[in-house]
Every structure is written in C-alpha cells, then in structure tokens.
Amino acid sequence: MRWLDQIMIGVEWRESRASSGWHRLTEGNRTIRTVDTLLRGVGQVVFQGNPVTGLFIIAGVTWGALRSEMPDVVVGMIVGLIVSTVTAKILRLDDHSVKIGLYGYNGLLVGAAVPTFVHSSPAVWIYLVVGAAVSTVVMLAISNVSKTWGVPALTFPFVLTSWVLLLGSYTFARTKIESLPAPALPARTTKALAHVTVNGPFVFEAIFRSIGQVFLINNWISGILIFVGILASSRWSGLFSLIGSVVALATALLLNAPGADVNAGLFGFSAVLTGIALGSVFYQPGWKVLGYTVLGVIFTVVVQGALDTALTPVGIPTLTAAFVFTTWLFLLAKEKFEPVQHTLIEGGVAQKVSSKAQTHAALSGS
Amino acid sequence: MRWLDQIMIGVEWRESRASSGWHRLTEGNRTIRTVDTLLRGVGQVVFQGNPVTGLFIIAGVTWGALRSEMPDVVVGMIVGLIVSTVTAKILRLDDHSVKIGLYGYNGLLVGAAVPTFVHSSPAVWIYLVVGAAVSTVVMLAISNVSKTWGVPALTFPFVLTSWVLLLGSYTFARTKIESLPAPALPARTTKALAHVTVNGPFVFEAIFRSIGQVFLINNWISGILIFVGILASSRWSGLFSLIGSVVALATALLLNAPGADVNAGLFGFSAVLTGIALGSVFYQPGWKVLGYTVLGVIFTVVVQGALDTALTPVGIPTLTAAFVFTTWLFLLAKEKFEPVQHTLIEGGVAQKVSSKAQTHAALSGS
Amino acid sequence: MRWLDQIMIGVEWRESRASSGWHRLTEGNRTIRTVDTLLRGVGQVVFQGNPVTGLFIIAGVTWGALRSEMPDVVVGMIVGLIVSTVTAKILRLDDHSVKIGLYGYNGLLVGAAVPTFVHSSPAVWIYLVVGAAVSTVVMLAISNVSKTWGVPALTFPFVLTSWVLLLGSYTFARTKIESLPAPALPARTTKALAHVTVNGPFVFEAIFRSIGQVFLINNWISGILIFVGILASSRWSGLFSLIGSVVALATALLLNAPGADVNAGLFGFSAVLTGIALGSVFYQPGWKVLGYTVLGVIFTVVVQGALDTALTPVGIPTLTAAFVFTTWLFLLAKEKFEPVQHTLIEGGVAQKVSSKAQTHAALSGS
C-alpha cells in the first residue's frame, strides 16, 4: 500500500530537531505511537500526514464546536477516528499506511458529520460506529479501484459512507434528523437571496470559514487555526489553501451565489481542498500548475452549485463531493498533461505514472 | 469466461450417485441439457449453479405468485430466463458460462420484475422480451468492467436493466404502471409507522419472507422452499442465508424501520444475498469472515434505507441494489484483506487474485 | 493518443483528387490548417473527422438557429469549439488528436447547449468559456478511464460538463434560466398527451428533426443538411443515421411516447448516434451487426424515456446521455461478442482489442 502514501502525503514533515525528537519518542512508547497515528489521521484530511497539523485541527474544531454548543461533533470525530483506525488494525491492513493515518481521516469525518446532522442518542452512536468501521472497508475498496488510474480515494469514502447514513436516517425512526435540509424541488436563487455587502470583514471571515467548513465548522477562528496547522506542515499547501479559498469566494460572488452561504464558507471548503490537492500535493507548484489549479478551483464552485441543486430533492448535503469529483477529473487528465507530468514531486506519483505509461506503450504495441 | 464461473459458482453440486446419474442424462439428451441449463440459471440468483436449487425456487415462486393471483410473474420469469439464455447463444458467448446459467439469472429477474410493477399487455410483453435480451448484453458489459478488479457482476445487470424499464414506463403511455410507488419527496418515518409487535410468528415470517423477496415474492412458504433449495446445494450457503436474514431483521428492528415493510421482508432480501455472497461464496466460512459478513449485512440494511430515500422522488423500487453495492464494496476491499485472502475457496478467485497481485507488483516495479 | 483516433474516426475521408488538393492546402497554410482542425471537430460529433461534414453541419445549425431566432447558439458553438481546442493546445495534448478535432466536439456541444438553456449575458459567456475549457480536461479524464476497456469517451464529456453548468445555473442568480424544464415529480404520460396522427409529413419531419436535434436544433431542413454532411463522408454512416432515426421513431410510436416530443425528434437524436456508432463505426456493417444495432437503437429509446423520468425532479435535459450509456454497454460487451470481434474495421479497434485480449490471457495465466 506504499503507493497510497506516496500519493497522499504531499510534503513530508520537515526533518528538524523537533521532529527527530518526536520520532524517537514514538519509537520508544506505544501510547505515543498510537497518538501519533491518530494525529496524522486528522492531518490527512488536508493532505498533511503530520501530527502538528492534527493538533491544530483538533484545537480549531473543538473551539468551533464548543462555540456552537455542539460538543458531540468533537467526540464523534475522535470516536470515528479511533474506530476506523482500529478496524484497519483488525483487518491487518498495511501497517505503514495505518501508521501515517490513511485509515483514519475518513472515519473522522464520518464521526463529525453524523452528530452534525442527526440527533444524538445511544442508537445513533452505534450507527456512527458502524459507519466509521465501514468507512475503512470503503476506503480500501475505492482505493483498489482508483489506483487503476493512479489517483487516490481522496475523501470519497467519507462522502459515500455519510450519504448512506444520512439518507438512511430518513427511513429509520430511531435516527432523528437534527439539521438536514428538507427535501424539496430545486428553486431558482433570486437576486435578493444572493445579495451581500462585500466589505473587509465579509471577505476575511468567508475566507477562513471556508477552511473551517472542511471539518463542517462554521467559524473563522477555527479556520485560522486549521490554516496555521497546514502551514506548519507545508508552506505550499498553506498558500494553496488560501488561493483556493480566495478564488472560490471571487467566483461565488461573481456568479451571485446565495449570500449567506457564501459568508458561511459553503462555496469555499471544497475549493480549499481542490487548491491544496492540485496546487501543492499532486503537481509541483509552478505557473502552469497555478493556472490549472485556478481553473480547477473555479470549476469546483460550479460543481458545488450543481450538487446543491441535484441533492435538493433527497435532502442531504454535498459534503466534500465537489472537491472529490473535480479533483478526480483534473488528476485523471494528468497522464497526458505533458508539462505537468515532467514536474511531479520527487518520490511522488512520478514513478508510478512513468511505469504505467510504459505499460500502456507495451500494451498498445507502440 | 471461465473466470466468471469460478467466481460465481460457490459450492459445486456435490458429486453423488444422483448427480452423476443426472450428468449422464444431460450428456445424452439435448432437451434435458437445455432444461438443466435453465434450472441452473434459476439457481444462480442465489449463487447456486444447481438444477435442484432451481427446481425448488420455481416451486416457491409459483406458490407465492399463485397465492397473490399474479401468474404473470411466473410466466415472465420463465420467458426472461429463456430469452436471455437464447440471446447469449445467438451472440455465441462462452459455452460453459451459458451452460451453468450465468446468462440466465438476470433475464429471469427482469422477467419477474416487469409484470410485478407494470400492467400486462402485448406491448409490455415485447418490452419484457427486449429487456431480457438486453440484460445479456448488460451482463457481458458489467462483467468486462468488474472483472478488472476480480469481482463479479452480481445482480447489477438485472437492477440496471429493470430500473431503465420501470423509469421508462412513466414516459410511455403504452406501459401502464401496476404497482410502482408514486414519486414523492422523502418523508421521515414516524414512530407510529415503525411500530410492530415483535413475537414468534412475526420473526418467523419476516425471516422467510426476506428469502422469498429475493424473487419479489411476499410469502413465507415460498421463502422456506427457496431456503431448502439453497440448503440442498450448499449447507454453508443455506446457513448464511439465514444469518443474513436474522441479522437484517435485528438491525431493522433496532433502527425502527417501517414495521409493515420489515414484516414483508423488504429490509431482508438484499441482506440474505449479502450473507450468502460474503459468508459462503467469495470468502471461506470462518470466524473472521463471519464478523466481516455480519458487518456487511448490517450495512446492507442501512444502504437499503438510504436507497429507499434516494429513489422516492423517481418512484422506482430498489430491487437488489443494496446487496450489489454493499457486496461490491466488501469484495473490492478483499485484495488487501490479508487474513481472508489466504483462505479463499479452492478453485475460487484465489488464483485470479494472486496473479493480479503479481501484475500489480510488476507494474509498480516493487 | 493514436488509439483515440483509431477508435473515433470511423471512415476516413476518401482519398480523392479533392481531398489531396485540400491536404496540400492545409500543409502550406497555417490559417487553413486551423480551419481544417475546427471543421473536423464539428464533424466528430457524428464520428466523421471530415471538414466537409463540418461545413454542412455548420450550415444546418446556422439555418435552424436563425429560423428560431437563436443566433447565440451558433456563436456559442463556434466559441466552445475554439476554446476547447485552444485549451488542448495550451495543455500540449497529443498533436494528431487535436488536429483531427477530438478536443473540439465536446466543447462545441457545450457551447451550443449553454445559450439554448441559459439566458445570454456577459457572465454567462464567461460561464460558457470556463465550461468549454473544462470539457477538454473532462475529455482527457474520461478517455483515460474508458480506454481501460477499449471504448471511447463518446459525447459524455459534453453531457457531464453541461449537466454541471445547467444544474449550477439554478444556484447562481447571475445565470438566468432561459428554457430548462421546471423541476417536478415525474407524472405518467397520458394517452391524450401521447396521441399523434401519423402521416407522411409527420414521419418525414420526425426523421430529420431527430438528426437536427443531435445539435439541439428542432428543424428538419437542418437535419437534412447534417444528413448530407454525414453521407459526404461515409455512405454507411449516412445509412445508419437514417436506420437509427427510423427505428427510434417506430419504437417511440409503438410505446406511445409523448406525441409532440416524438415529432420534435426528442426520442430520435440519441438513437441516430447509437445507430451510426454501433452500425458503421465500431463494428463492420453486416447482417449480425444490423440486428445488434437495431436492438441497441430500440434500447436507446427506452433509456431516453427512463432518463426523462429520472431527471424530472432536478430540471435538466438528458442531452445525449441515452446514446452514451447505451452505446457504452453495447461496446463494453464486444470483447466476448465473437462474431463481431473478427470483423472489425481495418485499422480500427481490432488491433487494440487483440492486444488487450492477449494481456488478459497473460494475466489470468491461461
């Protein structure tokens, strides 16, 4: 499963005195090793297999959840993270992948999503645990399929598992809905609904709320903490999270998206992930890649708008689907995207791609 | 197409005096050979390429259909079975696969579904015949894609073809709807709707109705006949059909699914198939596999609830989609599911998987 | 990317004095070479990488658009064609594929669809340009996936990109809807709605409107011009476009589809493409292939009816999805469709398939 790591971990935690000290600690102590694995799982949501990123994210999510009086979201997140990681252990999945958190980040998001949208109860916590355990199976399944074309599962295991749990919550009387959008026929957004006064505070808040919403948190301070966590692991990823957020905001305002949702970061969170993924993780930062990434971010906003319409009749949120679908399309195109192909991150997908290219050549006899 | 057989036929009809006698008969007589092929096709729905299973299923379906005064369902089933098998013959598909019924079971189910949901008329019978013929093309198409990852098409060709026919029946005035659910926006299930009195008869009936509903038959005697048919071919498959049904019932009751539907077996039929597939066909029965299968069965019930919600606005039933999607996920994960990988049924998918694993190793240069 | 050409260009422009003269012209003059590329892109919609076909299509679309007072559709088509082709140039995609128009036909259709369904405005033209640029990325992505099984992307990049843009147009206040169907729950088609008087003019018009609707044009004269353009490139493709249209009309009338839509060619345009693709491009014309193609065309009409129902709640048109899904299924089945496999067009997919078959054999160790 090494290929998954190579694909997923964008920029390794820079070797420093602090990190080598931490490394010694994790070697010597089993509990610290476990904590390290879990924290890396938190960081993998934003492509940083880095325990420091994980710490900042937990701080940010906790702050935002407590401010909205939703402590269940924090508990759910931790439970989901642990359950999905333990499931990977029980299934004896590749040890290295487990260690760097690749079997934790989807379960974590499932665990954050369920208490956000479904009313807490003992049955719902079992529901959450089953979902988190299944998210590991789904992660494995989607990865086995997507690696055929050299692309990672991204957060699709989270999206798919959560959609099933949330759609199911309509059918079962024991899973009471907390805050799902009521199923309806799509209506046109009016100018009044789209109107906002764009000023400094609006822009500042929207940018960082978009980063917070990656973890379903509508709070700009949370967003800043998460942003700092990303920056601590990779300057490029930090920069591209901002580029994603800013370009998405501009696109949403230009297209007149519903104003309140723009302010809440709901047109930006998927774009933030698209920005990090295309701009700093899977392609090496550069001018051409910047242009490609900006196109990807703009299209992510349009896909967000499209999914908002498409899911209205069934009453579930898009989660990070706009990021997943757009980034998949922009990554699947890469094999023939010559200028980028030659500038891939060292030790990243490059070797994979070149060996695949040779195989294709061999297959077609050319 | 040998790989398909290896994947599909779980447990071969045990070599006994009776079976070798039957074998001699099929060798000598063309009509008996044809009947053998058709009966095996019936059995393939529950993964038993076994004419005895086929006989019991036909008995069960006929009993249930006549009790509900729906003889068309039996006729449709036979017509669908014959048309799809003949289509495979005309397209000169792999003779061995045709012989063991792999091109019959989807057509059979299409043929049972159309008269269940669409009002019979000459035009509708042509509709059914076209659908059954196309189901063979779809079986081939889906198999060609799914074998890339070593998984079978399951009953997805039936689901896809029937969804097209049923959705289409809204558009054409000549295809009058008999009993499709009216398109609506999803509503929350209330406690009143979910309420049932759980007693012995309720449990007993629900368990066997779930088995009957695999063939769209709401009748517990039919379910018992089909169960006996499975048992006659494989004790493990029989056991796991029961485990699937019981675990699904418990899950549906725990989550408070709509009571009448639970009683009618509508939360159990997909789970029965998941149970047989994961527990006895694609993985070798054992404690770890039992746990994995139970998780799969529980998730099948949640997926059933999710699809019930998702399909409400378009007014079509889920058919066996919950089984297909869940089992695909749990099978796609198998390549890395080491403990199971080493205990595959002899002559099953093991060789396929191991040769694939070598290819992957070769491709990635590791 | 040669494989794509081999798959896409059905019948090469016949070597004639005219074509070799044109060939000399394109060699010597850059502007003429560019015009040649763009015209071939127009022709690729109907599988003819032929500038003459492109000219006839532009004439047909222009006639129809001007008659309906929708000149924006023509402008959008040209803009989409140019933007998607230029995007392929910027991404430095395979030169030969670009030259024969394979990166133009999806952008062209996106450019025709946007002004048809969304009210023109400066923001909407930017929307269209972004969509056309993204259609090239989507073309590359879908092709990279679909070539795994030796099938082409067809017009799915157009369908996917346009669905995103149209669904998104509900969410953004700046993209005003011009003529999308209002989101609704599916209703049964009544006999009154389906009633038509079938006479000569009805049949004649419906047949050629179906061909015009491939380019979203409801005009039989446009259809005739496009038909002549196809015929100029390939007699077989011309014949099968007619067969597709006639068989679809008969099927729609037999099933009692909504009469006005049948007259407008809305049950025929996808079938026209299925007919050309299965009958003359991917399989060599012959009696068996004729039967297979007729089954494919009939099923395309049923899929059209199914998609009409399925998309009603979200208020978007099917575009050419019925053609794409049906043709994919009927092409994916081809590997085992022995009689056809041996009669593929020289220089077509045959070599590809046989090398793939060898690979499969090698993989499975048989």
Side-chain angles (χ1 to χ4, degrees):
Chain A
M1 197 66 94
R2 295 268 158 150
W3 65 271
L4 234 185
D5 327 340
Q6 291 183 346
I7 286 176
M8 291 299 292
I9 50 168
V11 181
E12 277 287 337
W13 197 17
R14 279 156 300 166
E15 287 302 321
S16 66
R17 230 171 286 176
S19 79
S20 67
W22 177 252
H23 189 65
R24 265 199 306 281
L25 269 175
T26 62
E27 289 295 304
N29 184 309
R30 207 180 146 165
T31 309
I32 295 180
R33 205 156 61 228
T34 304
V35 169
D36 178 70
T37 290
L38 295 175
L39 287 177
R40 284 174 194 268
V42 179
Q44 289 290 6
V45 175
V46 288
F47 300 100
Q48 315 299 325
N50 187 321
V52 176
T53 312
L55 269 180
F56 273 96
I57 290 171
I58 290 178
V61 171
T62 306
W63 169 267
L66 294 183
R67 291 286 293 182
S68 338
E69 295 179 5
M70 295 172 75
D72 285 358
V73 172
V74 181
V75 181
M77 181 175 92
I78 305 292
V79 169
L81 173 64
I82 293 172
V83 167
S84 59
T85 306
V86 167
T87 304
K89 278 279 183 196
I90 294 174
L91 296 180
R92 297 201 196 150
L93 303 183
D94 174 79
D95 208 49
H96 182 68
S97 301
V98 174
K99 259 189 191 159
I100 60 166
L102 290 180
Y103 289 106
Y105 72 95
N106 284 293
L108 172 150
L109 290 170
V110 170
V114 170
T116 302
F117 300 112
V118 187
H119 193 74
S120 283
S121 76
V124 167
W125 282 98
I126 297 173
Y127 203 60
L128 184 156
V129 166
V130 168
V134 169
S135 79
T136 293
V137 174
V138 177
M139 171 66 179
L140 205 49
I142 302 293
S143 298
N144 277 339
V145 172
S146 68
K147 77 178 172 191
T148 308
W149 304 285
V151 303
L154 301 174
T155 51
F156 191 61
F158 149 62
V159 171
L160 188 63
T161 310
S162 301
W163 276 352
V164 167
L165 295 173
L166 298 180
L167 284 169
S169 73
Y170 283 91
T171 302
F172 307 116
R174 195 85 78 186
T175 50
K176 271 196 210 150
I177 288 166
E178 176 85 32
S179 68
L180 288 173
L185 292 169
R188 297 261 320 121
T189 297
T190 60
K191 281 210 170 166
L193 200 65
H195 182 74
V196 282
T197 308
V198 181
N199 52 24
F202 177 92
V203 169
F204 182 82
E205 280 183 33
I207 287 172
F208 288 103
R209 280 181 205 269
S210 291
I211 297 177
Q213 288 282 13
V214 170
F215 293 85
L216 303 116
I217 297 294
N218 181 8
N219 185 303
W220 61 268
I221 295 176
S222 302
I224 288 178
L225 283 165
I226 295 165
F227 169 66
V228 171
I230 299 170
L231 209 60
S233 164
S234 157
R235 280 166 304 170
W236 282 114
S237 290
L239 176 62
F240 273 96
S241 70
L242 272 192
I243 291 175
S245 194
V246 170
V247 172
L249 178 61
T251 307
L253 290 174
L254 190 100
L255 288 171
N256 257 359
D261 291 351
V262 175
N263 185 244
L266 293 178
F267 283 91
F269 66 96
S270 269
V272 164
L273 291 172
T274 303
I276 300 174
L278 295 181
S280 71
V281 178
F282 300 110
Y283 299 123
Q284 191 166 26
W287 289 112
K288 286 214 158 163
V289 167
L290 179 62
Y292 196 64
T293 303
V294 166
L295 183 64
V297 168
I298 291 171
F299 196 63
T300 302
V301 176
V302 181
V303 173
Q304 180 68 51
L307 288 173
D308 285 346
T309 304
L311 295 181
T312 299
V314 288
I316 53 168
T318 63
L319 305 175
T320 50
F323 149 64
V324 172
F325 297 156
T326 307
T327 301
W328 270 350
L329 287 174
F330 277 69
L331 289 180
L332 281 169
K334 75 177 178 302
E335 270 184 52
K336 297 293 168 191
F337 187 13
E338 297 296 323
V340 163
Q341 205 175 23
H342 290 161
T343 57
L344 284 169
I345 292 164
E346 194 103 18
V349 281
Q351 293 171 313
K352 180 81 190 159
V353 168
S354 67
S355 74
K356 272 196 70 179
Q358 285 161 21
T359 313
H360 281 305
L363 286 183
S364 60
S366 64
Chain B
M1 198 64 93
R2 294 268 158 149
W3 65 271
L4 235 184
D5 329 339
Q6 291 183 349
I7 287 176
M8 291 299 294
I9 50 166
V11 181
E12 278 285 338
W13 197 19
R14 279 157 300 167
E15 288 301 322
S16 66
R17 229 171 287 176
S19 78
S20 67
W22 176 253
H23 190 67
R24 264 198 307 279
L25 270 175
T26 62
E27 288 297 304
N29 184 308
R30 203 177 152 169
T31 308
I32 294 180
R33 205 157 59 230
T34 303
V35 169
D36 178 70
T37 289
L38 295 176
L39 287 177
R40 283 174 194 270
V42 179
Q44 288 290 7
V45 174
V46 288
F47 300 100
Q48 315 301 323
N50 187 321
V52 176
T53 312
L55 269 180
F56 273 95
I57 290 172
I58 290 177
V61 171
T62 305
W63 170 266
L66 294 182
R67 291 285 292 182
S68 336
E69 297 178 4
M70 296 172 75
D72 284 358
V73 172
V74 181
V75 181
M77 184 175 88
I78 306 291
V79 169
L81 174 64
I82 293 172
V83 168
S84 59
T85 306
V86 167
T87 304
K89 278 278 183 195
I90 294 174
L91 296 180
R92 295 198 200 155
L93 302 184
D94 174 78
D95 207 49
H96 183 68
S97 302
V98 174
K99 258 188 190 162
I100 60 167
L102 290 180
Y103 289 106
Y105 73 96
N106 284 294
L108 171 150
L109 290 170
V110 169
V114 169
T116 302
F117 301 111
V118 187
H119 194 75
S120 282
S121 76
V124 167
W125 281 98
I126 297 173
Y127 203 59
L128 185 156
V129 166
V130 168
V134 169
S135 80
T136 293
V137 174
V138 177
M139 171 66 179
L140 203 50
I142 302 294
S143 298
N144 277 339
V145 172
S146 68
K147 77 177 172 191
T148 309
W149 305 284
V151 303
L154 302 176
T155 50
F156 191 62
F158 149 61
V159 172
L160 189 63
T161 309
S162 300
W163 276 353
V164 166
L165 295 173
L166 298 181
L167 284 169
S169 72
Y170 284 91
T171 302
F172 308 116
R174 193 87 74 187
T175 50
K176 270 195 211 151
I177 289 168
E178 176 85 33
S179 69
L180 288 173
L185 292 170
R188 298 260 319 121
T189 297
T190 61
K191 281 209 172 167
L193 200 64
H195 182 75
V196 281
T197 308
V198 180
N199 52 24
F202 177 92
V203 169
F204 181 83
E205 279 182 35
I207 287 172
F208 289 102
R209 280 182 205 269
S210 292
I211 297 177
Q213 288 282 13
V214 169
F215 293 84
L216 304 117
I217 297 294
N218 182 8
N219 185 302
W220 62 268
I221 295 175
S222 301
I224 288 179
L225 283 165
I226 295 165
F227 170 66
V228 171
I230 299 171
L231 209 59
S233 165
S234 157
R235 280 166 304 169
W236 282 114
S237 291
L239 177 63
F240 273 97
S241 70
L242 271 192
I243 291 175
S245 193
V246 170
V247 171
L249 177 61
T251 307
L253 290 174
L254 189 101
L255 288 171
N256 257 358
D261 291 352
V262 174
N263 184 244
L266 294 178
F267 283 90
F269 66 95
S270 270
V272 164
L273 291 172
T274 303
I276 300 174
L278 295 181
S280 71
V281 178
F282 300 110
Y283 299 124
Q284 191 167 25
W287 289 112
K288 286 215 158 164
V289 167
L290 178 63
Y292 195 64
T293 302
V294 167
L295 183 64
V297 168
I298 292 171
F299 196 64
T300 302
V301 176
V302 181
V303 173
Q304 180 68 51
L307 288 174
D308 285 345
T309 304
L311 296 180
T312 299
V314 289
I316 53 169
T318 63
L319 305 175
T320 50
F323 149 64
V324 172
F325 297 156
T326 307
T327 301
W328 270 350
L329 288 173
F330 276 69
L331 289 180
L332 282 168
K334 74 178 179 301
E335 270 183 52
K336 298 291 167 191
F337 187 13
E338 296 297 323
V340 162
Q341 205 175 22
H342 290 163
T343 57
L344 285 168
I345 293 165
E346 194 101 20
V349 280
Q351 293 172 312
K352 177 80 190 159
V353 168
S354 67
S355 73
K356 272 197 71 181
Q358 285 162 22
T359 314
H360 280 304
L363 287 183
S364 60
S366 63
Chain C
M1 198 65 91
R2 295 268 158 150
W3 65 270
L4 235 183
D5 329 338
Q6 291 183 348
I7 287 177
M8 291 300 294
I9 48 167
V11 180
E12 279 286 339
W13 197 19
R14 279 156 300 167
E15 289 302 322
S16 65
R17 227 172 286 177
S19 79
S20 67
W22 177 252
H23 189 66
R24 265 200 306 281
L25 268 175
T26 63
E27 288 296 304
N29 184 309
R30 205 178 148 167
T31 308
I32 294 179
R33 206 156 59 228
T34 303
V35 169
D36 178 69
T37 289
L38 294 176
L39 287 177
R40 283 174 195 269
V42 179
Q44 289 290 6
V45 174
V46 288
F47 299 100
Q48 315 300 326
N50 186 321
V52 176
T53 311
L55 269 181
F56 273 95
I57 291 171
I58 290 178
V61 171
T62 306
W63 170 267
L66 294 182
R67 292 284 293 182
S68 337
E69 295 178 6
M70 296 174 76
D72 285 358
V73 173
V74 181
V75 182
M77 183 176 90
I78 305 290
V79 170
L81 173 64
I82 293 172
V83 168
S84 59
T85 306
V86 168
T87 304
K89 277 279 183 195
I90 294 174
L91 296 179
R92 295 200 200 152
L93 302 183
D94 174 79
D95 209 48
H96 183 67
S97 301
V98 174
K99 258 189 191 162
I100 60 166
L102 290 179
Y103 288 106
Y105 72 95
N106 284 293
L108 172 150
L109 290 169
V110 169
V114 170
T116 302
F117 301 110
V118 187
H119 194 75
S120 283
S121 75
V124 167
W125 282 98
I126 297 173
Y127 203 61
L128 184 156
V129 166
V130 168
V134 169
S135 80
T136 293
V137 174
V138 177
M139 171 65 179
L140 203 48
I142 301 295
S143 297
N144 277 339
V145 172
S146 69
K147 77 178 171 191
T148 309
W149 304 285
V151 303
L154 301 176
T155 51
F156 191 61
F158 149 62
V159 171
L160 189 64
T161 310
S162 300
W163 275 352
V164 166
L165 295 173
L166 298 180
L167 284 169
S169 73
Y170 283 90
T171 302
F172 307 117
R174 194 87 75 187
T175 49
K176 270 197 210 149
I177 289 166
E178 176 85 32
S179 69
L180 287 174
L185 292 170
R188 298 260 320 120
T189 297
T190 60
K191 282 210 170 168
L193 201 65
H195 182 75
V196 282
T197 307
V198 181
N199 52 24
F202 177 91
V203 169
F204 181 83
E205 278 182 36
I207 287 172
F208 287 103
R209 279 181 205 271
S210 292
I211 297 178
Q213 287 283 11
V214 170
F215 294 84
L216 303 115
I217 297 294
N218 182 7
N219 185 302
W220 62 269
I221 295 174
S222 302
I224 288 179
L225 283 165
I226 296 165
F227 170 67
V228 171
I230 299 171
L231 209 61
S233 165
S234 158
R235 279 165 306 169
W236 282 114
S237 291
L239 176 62
F240 273 96
S241 70
L242 271 192
I243 290 175
S245 194
V246 169
V247 172
L249 177 62
T251 307
L253 290 174
L254 189 100
L255 289 171
N256 256 359
D261 291 352
V262 174
N263 183 244
L266 294 178
F267 283 90
F269 65 97
S270 269
V272 163
L273 291 171
T274 302
I276 300 174
L278 295 181
S280 70
V281 178
F282 300 111
Y283 299 123
Q284 191 165 26
W287 290 111
K288 286 215 159 163
V289 167
L290 178 63
Y292 196 64
T293 302
V294 166
L295 184 64
V297 167
I298 292 171
F299 196 64
T300 301
V301 175
V302 181
V303 173
Q304 179 69 50
L307 288 173
D308 284 346
T309 304
L311 296 180
T312 300
V314 289
I316 53 169
T318 63
L319 305 174
T320 50
F323 149 64
V324 173
F325 298 157
T326 307
T327 301
W328 270 349
L329 287 173
F330 277 69
L331 289 180
L332 282 168
K334 74 177 178 302
E335 270 184 51
K336 298 292 167 189
F337 188 12
E338 297 297 323
V340 162
Q341 204 175 23
H342 290 162
T343 56
L344 285 167
I345 292 164
E346 194 103 19
V349 280
Q351 292 171 312
K352 179 82 190 159
V353 169
S354 67
S355 73
K356 273 197 69 180
Q358 284 161 24
T359 313
H360 281 303
L363 286 184
S364 60
S366 63

